[in-house]
């Protein structure tokens, strides 16, 4: 069974007199352990689709099953619980607390979980180690480079061992070298630890770290491409 199964999704903003269609008739399936990139230019609907898949927004019509359950069957509390425990999010802007340490930032999702506080430091330290920042644990976020900040954001997304990680333009605020480092980290999480990844990007060279690329234009899936030879750490990060 697919972890994510969407059929004929449609998202419309506005009322009858002034409507904007952001997503139109999108169907997709993602199995556990897959790495899927969703590409498209600005305004194509890719971030709206991610918000629907990540329970951050509701669709207008269609169906969306996450982990075998249709989104409309979740209560508001269940949606919030799923976002916290089953989904991890990485955004372009990092969204870190600048004067909190790496460990404190990574622990933030645990504050809203049912995990006993006695386990928080251990879980956060494990996530920090997974992204290769265990030598920065006690540094405050403002002391880090852009690439390091994004890896902290990835560790924060990992701390509750979610079923899927949604990454929305994770290299958008980074230089090419830092962006490459972040994409290597995300790819390793998929290849070596089996994390399901859904990546939103407008950059072809970033998308090619995935196994499969869906291209969206004007709210619709325009084409799908399987990557037979994914980018490896030695590949040059194109500008």
């Amino acid at each position: 069974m697919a972890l994510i199964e969407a059929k004929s999704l449609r998202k419309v903003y506005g009322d009858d007199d002034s409507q904007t269609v952001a997503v139109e008739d999108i169907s997709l399936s993602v199995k556990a352990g897959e790495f899927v990139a969703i590409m498209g230019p600005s305004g194509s609907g890719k971030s709206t689709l991610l918000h629907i898949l990540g329970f951050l927004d509701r669709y207008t019509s269609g169906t969306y099953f996450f982990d075998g359950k249709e989104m409309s069957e979740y209560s508001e509390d269940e949606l919030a619980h799923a976002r916290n425990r089953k989904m991890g999010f990485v955004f372009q802007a990092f969204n870190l607390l600048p004067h909190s340490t790496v460990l404190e930032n990574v622990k933030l999702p645990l504050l809203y979980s049912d995990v006993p506080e006695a386990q928080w430091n251990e879980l956060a330290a494990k996530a920090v180690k997974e992204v290769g920042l265990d030598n920065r644990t006690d540094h405050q976020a403002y002391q880090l480079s852009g690439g390091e900040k994004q890896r902290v954001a990835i560790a924060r997304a990992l701390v509750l061992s979610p079923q899927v990680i949604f990454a929305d333009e994770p290299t958008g605020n980074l230089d090419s070298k830092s962006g490459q480092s972040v994409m290597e980290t995300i790819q390793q999480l998929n290849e070596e630890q089996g994390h399901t990844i859904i990546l939103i990007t407008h950059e072809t060279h970033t998308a090619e770290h995935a196994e499969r690329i869906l291209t969206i234009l004007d709210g619709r899936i325009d084409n799908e491409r399987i990557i037979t030879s994914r980018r490896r750490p030695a590949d040059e990060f194109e500008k």
Side-chain angles (χ1 to χ4, degrees), residues 125-134 158 185 188-189 193 195:
K126 179 176 179 289
V128 171
K129 186 175 182 179
E130 286 180 351
V131 300
L133 284 179
D134 38 325
L158 286 173
T185 298
Q188 287 167 0
L189 291 173
Q193 300 180 36
H195 290 286

Side-chain angles (χ1 to χ4, degrees), residues 62-173:
T63 59
Y64 171 36
F65 288 84
F66 179 81
D67 199 22
K69 185 175 180 178
E70 218 286 327
M71 184 179 180
S72 62
E73 298 175 358
Y74 285 82
S75 68
E76 288 300 323
D77 285 345
E78 288 172 332
L79 288 173
H81 183 266
R83 283 193 300 266
N84 179 251
R85 292 304 304 263
K86 297 184 177 183
M87 302 173 178
F89 298 89
V90 180
F91 296 104
Q92 180 175 335
F94 316 138
N95 297 329
L96 302 181
L97 300 177
H99 295 286
S100 294
T101 66
V102 167
L103 197 69
E104 289 166 345
N105 271 285
V106 173
K107 285 195 293 185
L108 286 175
L110 297 165
L111 299 176
Y112 308 99
S113 74
D114 52 6
V115 175
E117 188 173 354
Q119 299 177 23
W120 291 3
N121 282 343
E122 180 183 355
L123 290 172
K126 179 176 179 289
V128 171
K129 186 175 182 179
E130 286 180 351
V131 300
L133 284 179
D134 38 325
N135 63 334
R136 294 284 192 270
T137 300
D138 296 323
H139 284 62
Q140 293 183 320
Y142 80 88
Q143 298 174 307
L144 306 177
S145 68
E148 289 172 332
K149 289 176 181 177
Q150 193 59 289
R151 283 195 279 160
V152 173
I154 294 169
R156 182 182 57 199
L158 286 173
V159 72
L160 282 166
S161 298
Q163 290 176 273
V164 59
I165 296 172
F166 294 101
D168 192 356
E169 299 280 8
T171 63
N173 281 340

